[in-house]
Each structure stands twice: as C-alpha cells, then as structure tokens.
Amino acid sequence: MTHSSPERIVRRGRVFPEIQWTEAQKAEEKARRQAFYERCWVIFERLKPEILDKYYGWYIAIEPDSGDYFIDRDQEVASKMAREKYPNMIHHIFGINETGVSGRI
C-alpha cells in the first residue's frame, strides 16, 4: 500500500523563471528571424521558375549564406541533406508551390 505525502509541492509557471526576455529582446529576435526568412525567400523566388514545374509539391531547404539548396519529396530528407553539408548553419524549408508554404491544414 502506498501512502501519499500531505506536503506535496505544486509548481506552476515557467520552467526557468530566471530566464525572462524583455520586450526589446523579443522584438530583436523577431526581427532577426524575419531578416533570415527574407534572405531565404529571395533565393526561393529566384529558383521558383526553374523548379516549380519539375518539383511541384516537393520541399526545398535553403541555406542563405552559401545560396545552396536541397530538394527532395520528403521535408525531413531535404532538411537532413542541408544539415549534413552545413551542420552548424540554420536553413529554411519551403514547399515548392506558388506560395512556398510547406504544410497542410
């Protein structure tokens, strides 16, 4: 038979309460992410006319610093190819379609 402890500690709230971002830090991170996305979007828009017909419905992983891209039917495989060549770099995934959206509703 197990006994429950009457002095159970209930913790609610943030996992790491000592880490709190200011509004300025949040805005800076949002701007950084937007700038990264825009750099990737320029490359995607440049490639879209070449790849749209041949690879429609596939995925493209773009590494903006080098301009390299990786195309595959599977989103995870395209991402893996990008990580293998550039293990310490961030890449962005686009769906190869008119909008670049890579998900389904």
Side-chain angles (χ1 to χ4, degrees), residues 14-59:
R14 297 184 53 93
V15 176
F16 299 105
E18 65 277 4
I19 302 173
Q20 297 289 326
W21 281 22
T22 64
E23 291 303 317
Q25 288 172 318
K26 290 177 188 177
E28 182 180 323
E29 178 64 16
K30 186 175 180 179
R32 187 187 65 78
R33 287 177 181 255
Q34 183 64 29
F36 178 79
Y37 168 79
E38 289 171 4
R39 289 174 45 218
C40 294
W41 181 255
V42 168
I43 296 169
F44 177 68
E45 282 293 312
R46 186 186 70 222
L47 295 170
K48 193 162 54 169
E50 301 169 18
I51 63 175
L52 193 60
D53 291 335
K54 187 173 181 182
Y55 298 107
Y56 192 87
W58 290 29
Y59 298 94

Side-chain angles (χ1 to χ4, degrees), residues 74-102:
D74 186 358
Q75 181 176 357
E76 293 300 320
V77 174
S79 183
K80 182 179 177 185
M81 290 189 302
R83 283 193 313 269
E84 285 175 356
K85 185 162 183 184
Y86 299 102
N88 298 322
M89 302 301 286
I90 299 173
H91 61 277
H92 189 78
I93 299 282
F94 291 102
I96 301 176
N97 53 39
E98 293 82 7
T99 63
V101 176
S102 64

